[in-house]
Amino acid sequence: MNKDALGSNSASDDCNFLQLTKELKIEIIKFLAPICLLRLEGVCHSLKLLDTNEVWRKHCEQRWINWPLYRMSESEIESESSAIAVESWKTKYRLVEDEVKRSRITKEEI
């Protein structure tokens, strides 16, 4: 049996993130920045299927706190009604990020 520098007997002794409970994975994911969370979800199918909606909600709240157009009141957050009506907070986050990067406005928007 091979031992690594820390004395572990094999790769099976290593902690495998995918073997953690869903709850523990979510607790760890809460510490990730949005770009890291997007990358993590691209790693494998089981990570993409995790319910990270509440994590994305927190990212939205933190990101938009100083943006009057997107900042949401407590009632809007609770009812999930907002100017951006989509199903998931992840989608809302991505749509707003795309919106604020625009450099042109259409005639219809005026």
Side-chain angles (χ1 to χ4, degrees):
M1 207 176 288
N2 295 334
K3 288 191 175 192
D4 64 16
L6 298 175
S8 180
N9 289 328
S10 68
S12 63
D13 290 341
D14 295 338
C15 178
N16 184 338
F17 185 76
L18 296 174
Q19 293 175 341
L20 299 174
T21 64
K22 289 178 186 178
E23 294 79 14
L24 192 51
K25 287 178 201 167
I26 295 296
E27 286 302 313
I28 294 169
I29 285 171
K30 287 179 182 179
F31 292 97
L32 296 178
I35 189 69
C36 296
L37 181 52
L38 287 172
R39 289 177 182 153
L40 179 73
E41 290 175 350
V43 169
C44 75
H45 186 68
S46 65
L47 293 175
K48 188 173 184 160
L49 294 177
L50 282 176
D51 182 8
T52 57
N53 203 43
E54 280 302 308
V55 176
W56 281 107
R57 176 182 163 208
K58 294 291 183 190
H59 283 306
C60 290
E61 289 174 21
Q62 290 172 355
R63 179 77 167 141
W64 303 340
I65 197 160
N66 295 317
W67 295 3
L69 180 60
Y70 301 106
R71 183 177 49 229
M72 297 169 62
S73 69
E74 285 298 319
S75 62
E76 287 176 316
I77 291 169
E78 292 304 318
S79 69
E80 294 190 17
S81 65
S82 70
I84 303 168
V86 292
E87 291 180 20
S88 77
W89 285 98
K90 175 183 174 181
T91 303
K92 288 181 187 185
Y93 188 94
R94 294 180 80 173
L95 288 172
V96 170
E97 288 297 309
D98 289 344
E99 174 74 16
V100 298
K101 292 176 186 172
R102 289 189 325 153
S103 60
R104 296 180 186 200
I105 191 166
T106 65
K107 287 182 181 180
E108 293 80 25
E109 294 174 308
I110 298 177

